[in-house]
Amino acid sequence: MQAYDRISRYKGALMGIMILIVVYGHLLYYHSGCQLYQFLGPEEWYTVGSVDIFLFLSGFGISFSLKKNGDPLQFMQRRMSRILPSYLPFIVVYCAFMLWSRQIDVFQALGNLTTFGWWTRMGGQFNWYIPIQIAAYVISPLLYQIIDRYGKRALWVFPVLFLADVACVNTSLMMGVSRFPVYFLGMYLGYEAAAGKHPTRRHLVISWVLMVVSMVAYYFLCVRWPDGLSAYGFWWHPFLLSTPGCLYMTTWILQKMDAWKPTAKVNRGLEFLGGKSFEIYLCHILIYEIGLYFGVGGWKKWILLALCGLTAGTIYSYLVDALVRWRKKL
């Protein structure tokens, strides 16, 4: 099985691995009382790249979707029909809790409901991921057309995306905007995969070398220049270089695991979690916020909260699926 084929085949398992890393990374973060990442150590630093892999996989799959039907309006309808049934009920519950606990006001609640609050930096916003994902969806048809028309020359989009960082220096927007390049990289390689192309041996070797070099460089950035990482995006940019190599290596391991029955069952479990990853992402953050608000202390209690987040997200996913099926029958 070729490298691109493995990414498509094991996308669910990859998302399962990444959501476990996200839950673990946020466990360290919230347990610390939401300290700055540079004070939490390497076991926290490297969990940051899991979201980059989510965005890469999203871009990779979207190229296939746009190849089948490139109509921008229909594309947005398909995307929104996937995330809104889970996001809207959840964000209403989240805003209700935050309003009840007086951690946000009505305008901040509206910012959460529309996702505009994060872009305007009004504070009290749930998370950066949903606003960035929706923005990526909006520009995806344009990016796809550029790739389709210009081929390798479309790589000049990267400097344009990095220029967007200039407007975000020393702001919280950097956390999200700095992820657009890895999303575009996913789209570009996804386009190649949808066209039946496969990475060359040279491509694979360079990807593995970049993965190692960028992750070593990332460690020294965190140690030597911790205060400048968030200001200029260096918490996140190194994962642009490491993501393809990481995926090629991980999917190769997953393919080997499929050859042995016990580890093949592990793959199926990861695929199961991957299918519930969006709802787990939503629910575990709310549960961590509740734990932080009520002053939950000790590792055992926070690990229990992490398990509650996984369980709540899984149950919520089943409820959303049931609601969607019910609506389709009406």
Side-chain angles (χ1 to χ4, degrees):
M1 192 183 299
Q2 296 285 348
Y4 289 160
D5 296 332
R6 288 200 305 267
I7 292 176
S8 297
R9 167 66 181 84
Y10 295 108
K11 182 180 178 181
L14 288 168
M15 293 175 70
I17 294 170
M18 292 310 116
I19 196 59
L20 288 174
I21 295 174
V22 167
V23 171
Y24 167 70
H26 285 155
L27 168 64
L28 299 179
Y29 177 61
Y30 279 92
H31 177 269
S32 74
C34 298
Q35 291 186 39
L36 295 175
Y37 274 36
Q38 56 262 43
F39 299 136
L40 298 178
E43 68 277 9
E44 173 71 17
W45 303 339
Y46 287 94
T47 66
V48 173
S50 56
V51 183
D52 294 81
I53 290 178
F54 268 122
L55 288 169
F56 178 97
L57 291 173
S58 178
F60 192 88
I62 275 170
S63 281
F64 283 85
S65 177
L66 287 168
K67 183 177 178 62
K68 292 178 182 177
N69 183 351
D71 182 87
L73 182 58
Q74 292 181 20
F75 168 75
M76 284 301 296
Q77 288 174 332
R78 295 196 303 271
R79 293 293 101 193
M80 292 299 99
S81 68
R82 290 194 176 190
I83 68 171
L84 291 183
S86 295
Y87 182 68
L88 285 180
F90 167 81
I91 202 64
V92 169
V93 172
Y94 175 84
C95 288
F97 169 73
M98 297 297 280
L99 285 167
W100 171 80
S101 59
R102 298 183 180 180
Q103 297 184 65
I104 64 172
D105 58 33
V106 173
F107 291 105
Q108 290 170 326
L110 289 173
N112 273 299
L113 291 169
T114 61
T115 73
F116 294 153
W118 183 80
W119 289 104
T120 57
R121 293 185 288 154
M122 64 166 41
Q125 300 306 293
F126 168 65
N127 197 257
W128 62 270
Y129 182 76
I130 301 298
I132 285 295
Q133 187 71 77
I134 292 175
Y137 290 158
V138 170
I139 64 174
S140 289
L142 173 62
L143 295 177
Y144 182 84
Q145 288 300 318
I146 292 172
I147 297 169
D148 189 48
R149 174 175 291 189
Y150 296 106
K152 289 185 178 180
R153 287 182 294 169
L155 295 176
W156 283 104
V157 168
F158 280 112
V160 176
L161 294 175
F162 279 112
L163 281 174
D165 288 352
V166 175
C168 303
V169 171
N170 278 317
T171 75
S172 58
L173 297 178
M174 184 66 79
M175 183 183 296
V177 173
S178 63
R179 261 61 178 255
F180 282 132
V182 78
Y183 178 83
F184 176 70
L185 179 62
M187 286 194 67
Y188 182 84
L189 297 184
Y191 180 89
E192 289 195 339
K197 297 180 181 179
H198 299 289
T200 63
R201 185 177 182 85
R202 179 185 177 189
H203 173 118
L204 295 174
V205 171
I206 291 174
S207 297
W208 290 326
V209 170
L210 286 175
M211 176 184 70
V212 174
V213 171
S214 62
M215 290 300 93
V216 172
Y218 186 60
Y219 176 83
F220 284 100
L221 278 170
C222 291
V223 171
R224 301 292 184 183
W225 196 28
D227 295 333
L229 290 174
S230 60
Y232 301 102
F234 293 121
W235 272 119
W236 310 290
H237 285 315
F239 293 101
L240 171 66
L241 301 177
S242 67
T243 293
C246 178
L247 289 176
Y248 300 148
M249 178 185 68
T250 306
T251 52
W252 180 82
I253 294 171
L254 290 170
Q255 184 180 14
K256 297 299 180 185
M257 289 172 64
D258 257 349
W260 190 40
K261 194 171 183 179
T263 49
K265 290 182 179 179
V266 174
N267 283 1
R268 303 294 84 76
L270 292 171
E271 287 174 7
F272 172 80
L273 289 176
K276 315 296 180 188
S277 58
F278 183 60
E279 290 78 15
I280 291 172
Y281 152 75
L282 296 173
C283 291
H284 90 280
I285 293 180
L286 174 59
I287 288 174
Y288 285 173
E289 289 279 3
I290 293 171
L292 192 66
Y293 176 75
F294 286 105
V296 174
W299 281 109
K300 290 182 179 179
K301 292 180 180 178
W302 275 96
I303 291 171
L304 180 60
L305 287 179
L307 294 174
C308 287
L310 289 168
T311 304
T314 301
I315 294 172
Y316 182 51
S317 179
Y318 278 118
L319 291 174
V320 170
D321 289 343
L323 178 62
V324 170
R325 288 195 299 270
W326 174 74
R327 280 195 60 192
K328 287 181 178 179
K329 291 179 180 178
L330 294 178

